[in-house]
Structures are given as C-alpha cells and as structure tokens.
Amino acid sequence: YIMKKLLFICIMAIMCLNIKAQALVTDAEGRYPVYCTIVCSNFWGFGKVNATMDFGGGKTWSESSCTLLDEDGKKMKFTSTMGAVNYMAKRGWKLDRTVFLSIGKNSVLHYIMVKYVKSDDEITEGIKYETDGE
C-alpha cells in the first residue's frame, strides 16, 4: 500500500514538472517574444521592391508567407528593403538579426524581426496583409 502511494506521488510530481516546463516564458510585464521574417525582392533589379513577410501562422510555408497591403488593399512596394524594415518598426517590431540563406546558387537575405506581445492578437496589429497561398 505504501509503495502504491509513493509511486502515485512520484508520477504526480513528474506530471507537475512536465506542466511547468510547458509554461509560457514572459518578461516582467507579461510579454513574450514573437518573430517574423522579411524577404525583399525586385525582379528587374531596379525600382521598388516587394516585401514578403512570414509571421509563422500557417500550417504550410505558403500559408505563412504574406504580402503587405496599403490602405486601399493594394500590394505595398518599398523604395528599399529598409523601407520595409522601418514600416515594421513603426508597428512595434525591432530588427533582431539578418541571415543569408542559400537557395540554389542564390543567397537571399532574411531580416528577422522581433516584437514583444501579451497576446497573439497583437502580432499583426496595425498590419494589413494577404496570404500568398490564397
């Protein structure tokens, strides 16, 4: 009987540790970091650039990838990549780092942005976009 109780207590302790390990890690204000990437492209090599964002919300890459829209619902274009980074900065995002990823013979620069939120609803707050997979 004592052995069963001891086994039960051990199992409960392990379950409690497992639940605690899955807890959301927040700062002193109850916020947690979320990330997005910006990739800019320009087919012709001059003129304005297209910015593709990935907020990580989709089940597939095409569902996560999206394009920013202006107030009229038209795809936004920027004079440079920094225009897209500054657009996101005005909406609470900060540049965390840049990473080159190679795709075939091409190296593509990804801008990793971070924002601290209290709710996932704040991730795209103030940002109008359409999913590229649509």
Side-chain angles (χ1 to χ4, degrees), residues 17-67:
L17 289 174
N18 188 31
I19 290 170
K20 183 152 178 83
Q22 294 178 9
L24 188 61
V25 178
T26 61
D27 64 10
E29 297 175 18
R31 301 176 309 164
Y32 55 92
V34 292
Y35 298 86
C36 84
T37 59
I38 302 174
V39 177
C40 290
S41 62
N42 181 324
F43 183 75
W44 298 105
F46 61 89
K48 295 192 175 192
V49 296
N50 297 311
T52 303
M53 318 300 269
D54 182 354
F55 294 103
K59 293 179 182 175
T60 64
W61 179 84
S62 63
E63 290 176 3
S64 291
S65 179
C66 63
T67 303

Side-chain angles (χ1 to χ4, degrees), residues 7-126:
L7 182 61
F8 178 74
I9 291 171
C10 288
I11 291 172
M12 292 303 290
I14 291 170
M15 288 175 57
C16 288
L17 289 174
N18 188 31
I19 290 170
K20 183 152 178 83
Q22 294 178 9
L24 188 61
V25 178
T26 61
D27 64 10
E29 297 175 18
R31 301 176 309 164
Y32 55 92
V34 292
Y35 298 86
C36 84
T37 59
I38 302 174
V39 177
C40 290
S41 62
N42 181 324
F43 183 75
W44 298 105
F46 61 89
K48 295 192 175 192
V49 296
N50 297 311
T52 303
M53 318 300 269
D54 182 354
F55 294 103
K59 293 179 182 175
T60 64
W61 179 84
S62 63
E63 290 176 3
S64 291
S65 179
C66 63
T67 303
L68 297 175
L69 303 175
D70 64 15
E71 296 301 319
D72 299 326
K74 295 180 182 175
K75 290 185 178 184
M76 291 183 74
K77 293 191 177 213
F78 299 92
T79 54
S80 70
T81 302
M82 283 300 109
V85 171
N86 287 334
Y87 175 86
M88 295 300 285
K90 290 176 184 175
R91 283 143 187 87
W93 292 86
K94 292 182 181 179
L95 181 61
D96 187 54
R97 66 183 57 118
T98 56
V99 179
F100 271 107
L101 295 178
S102 295
I103 300 171
K105 294 181 180 179
N106 299 321
S107 290
V108 179
L109 186 58
H110 291 248
Y111 293 82
I112 313 286
M113 307 291 288
V114 63
K115 181 178 181 180
Y116 286 84
V117 298
K118 290 185 179 183
S119 161
D120 284 355
D121 296 333
E122 297 175 40
I123 294 173
T124 56
E125 191 173 68

